[in-house]
Amino acid sequence: MAFNVVILAAGLGTRLGRPHPKTLTPLADGRSILRQQLDHVQTAFGDQAHLTVVVGFKMDLVMEAAASDAAFVYNELYDQTNTSKSLLKALRLAPPGGVLWLNGDVVFVPGLLAALHRSIVEEQTFVAVNTDRVAEEEIKYTLDGSGYLKELSKQVVDGLGEAIGINYVSPADRAVLVDHLDRCADNDYFERGIETAISEAGLRVRAVDISSYGCVEVDFEPDLARANELGTP
């Protein structure tokens, strides 16, 4: 089954304080975050996945780093918009089919993507979550009575866990998500589009628990240190 993989790598990444795009941050194994992601996608999915990287800030560096592995979508408003608009551009331009997307600053062990493959094959829209941590500054979630996502934002109270920045929208749900991302404010994260699609359009989104796999979203130096401790091959 063919599907799409999108890496969101357009942002400025100012919180980490690097002069280059955050996705190009070197890791302990010598690869950048982006290169490690590209390698994991290839290992898990091979030719099944059509891979696209959304670029913006210093896009020439990102494109050079991924030139032989991906197509590219340019968010020309990268300094004025957030991930909702980068994902919107990618969904509008990607070939037909489901879309798995990753934030460009997520470091994870290779087995994680393979663990998500079943949900992709079943074409079940999902958000990958970690139930081991519920940090205040992270995207948190709650569930409804049927076990589907109810809330998804940084403002969630008594969250059950954290969204890790790896998600999938099925072919059947893709148009609904596009509509709600289009309605998002420029500074909204893509999770806002998912949340309004749930509350207003009845979108059913699973929370897929990947807590047993190492995964770190790198925003600050301590995150980078934790990411380097994962020892991803």
Side-chain angles (χ1 to χ4, degrees):
M1 181 192 77
F3 61 98
N4 300 282
V5 175
V6 170
I7 297 176
L8 303 178
L12 296 168
T14 54
R15 289 183 292 181
L16 192 60
R18 297 290 199 278
H20 48 67
K22 186 164 52 171
T23 195
L24 298 184
T25 301
L27 297 168
D29 69 359
R31 292 178 291 178
S32 66
I33 296 175
L34 177 61
R35 172 44 56 190
Q36 197 177 90
Q37 289 183 335
L38 294 170
D39 289 349
H40 291 347
V41 169
Q42 176 61 35
T43 298
F45 306 129
D47 294 338
Q48 284 184 295
H50 177 273
L51 180 59
T52 300
V53 179
V54 182
V55 296
F57 177 57
K58 296 189 176 179
M59 66 175 186
D60 53 332
L61 297 179
V62 179
M63 293 175 71
E64 182 180 0
S68 62
D69 298 289
F72 300 95
V73 169
Y74 179 45
N75 179 359
E76 69 278 6
L77 300 178
Y78 65 87
D79 57 344
Q80 303 170 46
T81 59
N82 214 320
T83 57
S84 63
K85 300 310 179 185
S86 285
L87 179 59
L88 176 61
K89 278 185 166 286
L91 291 182
R92 282 177 166 165
L93 294 172
V99 180
L100 177 78
W101 76 91
L102 300 74
N103 283 333
D105 58 0
V106 181
V107 179
F108 52 92
V109 298
L112 188 153
L113 292 182
L116 298 175
H117 193 248
R118 177 178 175 181
S119 296
I120 295 171
V121 170
E122 293 176 350
E123 297 189 339
Q124 171 64 63
T125 297
F126 67 78
V127 169
V129 300
N130 182 355
T131 58
D132 288 343
R133 299 179 70 246
V134 191
E136 183 64 29
E137 72 279 5
E138 301 299 334
I139 301 290
K140 300 171 287 294
Y141 74 97
T142 60
L143 301 176
D144 64 19
S146 300
Y148 291 93
L149 283 186
K150 180 180 180 181
E151 301 171 289
L152 183 69
S153 73
K154 290 186 177 183
Q155 289 71 46
V156 167
V157 177
D158 297 327
L160 301 174
E162 300 175 357
I164 67 164
I166 302 177
N167 316 274
Y168 174 77
V169 63
S170 72
D173 293 336
R174 184 167 157 179
V176 172
L177 182 57
V178 165
D179 180 47
H180 283 264
L181 291 169
D182 190 38
R183 300 184 197 181
C184 284
D186 284 351
N187 64 344
D188 281 336
Y189 294 100
F190 61 69
E191 287 88 357
R192 177 60 180 166
I194 296 174
E195 190 174 48
T196 61
I198 290 169
S199 62
E200 298 174 16
L203 183 67
R204 304 183 84 186
V205 182
R206 288 284 187 193
V208 177
D209 190 352
I210 53 76
S211 303
S212 60
Y213 296 90
C215 181
V216 178
E217 191 162 15
V218 178
D219 290 320
F220 303 101
E221 287 293 341
D223 300 327
L224 182 58
R226 286 196 300 119
N228 281 322
E229 291 171 359
L230 294 178
T232 54

